[in-house]
Amino acid sequence: MPKHTLTTESGAPVADNQNSASAGAGGPLLIQDQQLIEKLARFNRERIPERVVHARGSGAYGYFEVTDDVTGFTRADFLNTVGKRTETFIRFSTVADSLGGADAVRDPRGFALKFYTEEGNYDLVGNNTPVFFIKDPIKFPDFIHSQKRDPFTGIQEADNVWDFWSHSPEATHQITWLFGDRGIPASYRHMNGFGSHTYQWTNAQGEAFFVKYHFKTNQGVRSLSSEQAAEQVGADANSHQRDLVQAIERGVNPSWTLHVQIMPAAEAADYRFNPFDVTKVWPHADYPLRRVGRLVLDRNPDNVFQEVEQAAFSPNNFVPGIGPSPDKMLQGRLFAYADAQRYRLGVNHTLLPVNAPKATEAVNYGRDGLAATRNGKRGLKNYEPNSYEGPSQTDLALSAPQAVSGYTGTHEVPPHVKDDHFFQAGELYRLMSEDEKSRLVANIAGFLAQVTRDDVIDRNLAHFHAADTEYGTRVEAAVRAIREG
């Protein structure tokens, strides 16, 4: 006897789940068979739209523990006491491929972290690289189109990838990261994570600081060569997912140490690089890392679809003491991320357990829509302001105001002293050992040599030459050798 009785969606017991109802033993099936119709109709609707980017992902629960006092820089409640722990959920992901893609590929990795704080959920949406390919969100749909499957061939085309990059010199820094030794992490546990963008912290006195987040893996950085990755993909396309699940199940809980770079807001205007340009880093010599705490993952989700696929993150989910900066890419994502989830999951996706606050309660006047389960108690009004007992505003801004000036319109950001598209890419190249440089050149040349148009190749080579003369010369020679071989 089964431990529980199988029921329909409405709770009625199911008499037979093995045979469909028919008109006679060998006759046609009957539309009145509730169990058959319900099962088939529900099965047809099991899939939701996958994410356009970051579709293939893995997730885990854990906690963040404060280890160092940062109250002089932010009034965020979850950071206000050494030793304080906050529950978290993280989603790792590849970027370009679809839900059915492989894990061990050369691609940036998403590093999206949700803190279930007592003042609401705080989402930090970053990558495993400190920089990105573009710095203005108006280019983002075109960038992703160039990296995705070609509409005619149905596969990723080197022509499209490198053609876009040839017209986007600001991508040179991220390309140097992506094709370097850390371009293919050995696992999600063995890579660093970055907020990538610049954010604002505000302390209890109202003083503003700009910050960058760095999560340093305590497992050590481990990466795969192109050859090792190809072998791994062939052996196990789910390698990163399998590694994460099995590690946590064994009690080998992965962890990261969070450091931040902190820039007083007054220093931003005269800094040698534009501090709000996500294609650039702040050198540690200028703004050293300050330790904040540690992130530990200790629990696997019970159901991947329910908790990982339906997890929704938005960089616009701030808490008091943390806010945005004028980073253009961040500004675009403040809208785009949440809107993507409204499309994928519906307007009430924030009510799903993985997305709902855990240490507090969401109280607002949002009502109705598909799957509404929180429409307010009997007699409460659905508008504000009101004369009844509804929730009201605090009049206390989450972060400090930022001064703006000038005319509306489409503007290029005024350059800082050392702002160009190539300086930091060259600096990164010059930091590499000879072996690292050789692998970087081989990785770039192997992909760039697949491009069929000489002008596209030449434009990209010009970017590498501009970053570093040796860098450009070596890539150019390697591409020529492949094409002439």
Side-chain angles (χ1 to χ4, degrees):
M1 292 293 291
K3 186 174 182 180
H4 300 288
T5 298
L6 179 66
T7 74
T8 64
E9 294 291 323
S10 62
V14 173
D16 190 342
N17 196 44
Q18 314 304 317
N19 303 287
S20 302
S22 60
L29 302 186
L30 302 177
I31 197 170
Q32 72 182 38
D33 186 342
Q34 178 194 17
Q35 178 69 347
L36 170 66
I37 300 304
E38 184 175 86
K39 284 182 71 176
L40 292 181
R42 184 177 183 89
F43 179 77
N44 286 344
R45 293 160 175 81
E46 279 187 358
R47 294 296 172 263
I48 60 176
E50 70 174 42
R51 291 166 168 86
V52 177
V53 289
H54 298 280
R56 182 176 181 82
S58 303
Y61 291 95
Y63 62 87
F64 179 79
E65 181 178 8
V66 179
T67 58
D68 294 77
D69 183 10
V70 291
T71 54
F73 305 104
T74 178
R75 61 184 177 92
D77 180 75
F78 77 102
L79 298 175
N80 69 6
T81 305
V82 171
K84 189 169 190 175
R85 289 188 176 185
T86 299
E87 184 178 356
T88 61
F89 180 81
I90 194 167
R91 186 176 186 272
F92 304 108
S93 57
T94 54
V95 176
D97 213 342
S98 62
L99 188 59
D103 286 341
V105 295
R106 188 173 298 280
D107 197 20
R109 299 300 190 275
F111 195 98
L113 185 59
K114 188 182 296 290
F115 298 83
Y116 299 103
T117 89
E118 296 174 1
E119 295 181 302
N121 290 351
Y122 171 45
D123 290 354
L124 182 58
V125 182
N127 286 322
N128 72 326
T129 60
V131 293
F132 195 60
F133 295 95
I134 54 176
K135 55 185 177 181
D136 194 303
I138 203 168
K139 298 180 71 170
F140 189 75
D142 299 292
F143 164 60
I144 295 300
H145 288 168
S146 74
Q147 310 295 303
K148 287 283 196 176
R149 299 177 184 272
D150 181 86
F152 171 65
T153 66
I155 59 177
Q156 187 189 59
E157 294 288 352
D159 280 355
N160 300 352
V161 172
W162 287 100
D163 183 40
F164 181 88
W165 285 345
S166 76
H167 293 288
S168 306
E170 69 270 29
T172 308
H173 194 184
Q174 174 75 321
I175 292 169
T176 306
W177 270 93
L178 180 60
F179 287 89
D181 281 358
R182 297 191 180 189
I184 312 177
S187 78
Y188 291 130
R189 296 184 295 128
H190 294 93
M191 68 181 193
N192 293 332
F194 301 88
S196 300
H197 296 292
T198 299
Y199 294 90
Q200 186 204 76
W201 277 5
T202 308
N203 65 17
Q205 292 72 44
E207 297 173 304
F209 304 86
F210 292 116
V211 301
K212 283 186 175 290
Y213 295 89
H214 301 250
F215 289 85
K216 300 293 187 181
T217 175
N218 295 324
Q219 291 69 239
V221 173
R222 286 179 48 204
S223 303
L224 302 175
S225 67
S226 296
E227 295 75 20
Q228 290 171 325
E231 182 178 348
Q232 182 67 72
V233 168
D236 183 5
N238 303 296
S239 57
H240 289 32
Q241 166 73 10
R242 191 182 311 280
D243 175 85
L244 183 64
V245 171
Q246 292 182 349
I248 295 175
E249 288 299 295
R250 294 195 312 268
V252 181
N253 297 331
S255 66
W256 288 258
T257 299
L258 172 61
H259 300 80
V260 293
Q261 291 176 283
I262 300 177
M263 174 189 292
E267 296 180 12
D270 297 323
Y271 186 48
R272 55 182 175 143
F273 306 109
N274 178 0
F276 312 119
D277 181 348
V278 74
T279 68
K280 296 182 175 66
V281 298
W282 303 352
H284 293 180
D286 295 346
Y287 295 98
L289 296 179
R290 290 175 174 265
R291 193 178 66 175
V292 179
R294 67 185 184 121
L295 169 69
V296 179
L297 304 183
D298 60 6
R299 180 166 66 91
N300 283 311
D302 293 327
N303 185 281
V304 171
F305 176 83
Q306 182 174 323
E307 298 165 90
V308 180
E309 186 65 12
Q310 292 193 123
F313 299 85
S314 171
N316 209 12
N317 288 343
F318 292 114
V319 291
I322 304 178
S325 78
D327 179 336
K328 282 190 173 184
M329 279 299 296
L330 172 60
Q331 291 284 319
R333 285 172 167 158
L334 297 181
F335 160 76
Y337 271 60
D339 190 59
Q341 305 306 336
R342 294 184 192 104
Y343 163 68
R344 292 183 62 246
L345 304 170
V347 71
N348 286 306
H349 68 272
T350 55
L351 305 182
L352 295 170
V354 70
N355 299 323
K358 295 183 183 297
T360 186
E361 180 184 4
V363 182
N364 56 52
Y365 295 92
R367 293 292 186 272
D368 305 338
L370 290 175
T373 61
R374 190 197 67 213
N375 263 18
K377 298 178 181 178
R378 177 178 178 180
L380 291 182
K381 305 305 178 184
N382 63 346
Y383 59 87
E384 199 279 333
N386 63 58
S387 302
Y388 299 86
E389 297 180 357
S392 58
Q393 65 196 38
T394 66
D395 294 321
L396 183 63
L398 298 187
S399 56
Q402 298 175 21
V404 296
S405 62
Y407 295 93
T408 60
T410 56
H411 302 284
E412 289 190 18
V413 177
H416 289 231
V417 177
K418 287 196 174 181
D419 267 348
D420 65 43
H421 300 312
F422 310 112
F423 177 80
Q424 289 198 353
E427 290 282 272
L428 178 58
Y429 175 80
R430 289 183 286 274
L431 282 174
M432 295 179 180
S433 68
E434 178 54 36
D435 286 345
E436 290 174 322
K437 290 178 180 177
S438 296
R439 289 189 291 269
L440 170 67
V441 168
N443 291 335
I444 292 175
F447 193 16
L448 184 56
Q450 299 175 34
V451 174
T452 59
R453 288 183 50 156
D454 290 342
D455 61 324
V456 172
I457 293 177
D458 290 342
R459 279 198 300 272
N460 280 287
L461 290 175
H463 297 166
F464 300 124
H465 278 290
D468 183 274
T469 301
E470 178 194 283
Y471 188 9
T473 300
R474 293 178 65 170
V475 172
E476 182 173 2
V479 169
R480 185 184 303 113
I482 294 173
R483 287 167 64 87
E484 294 176 353

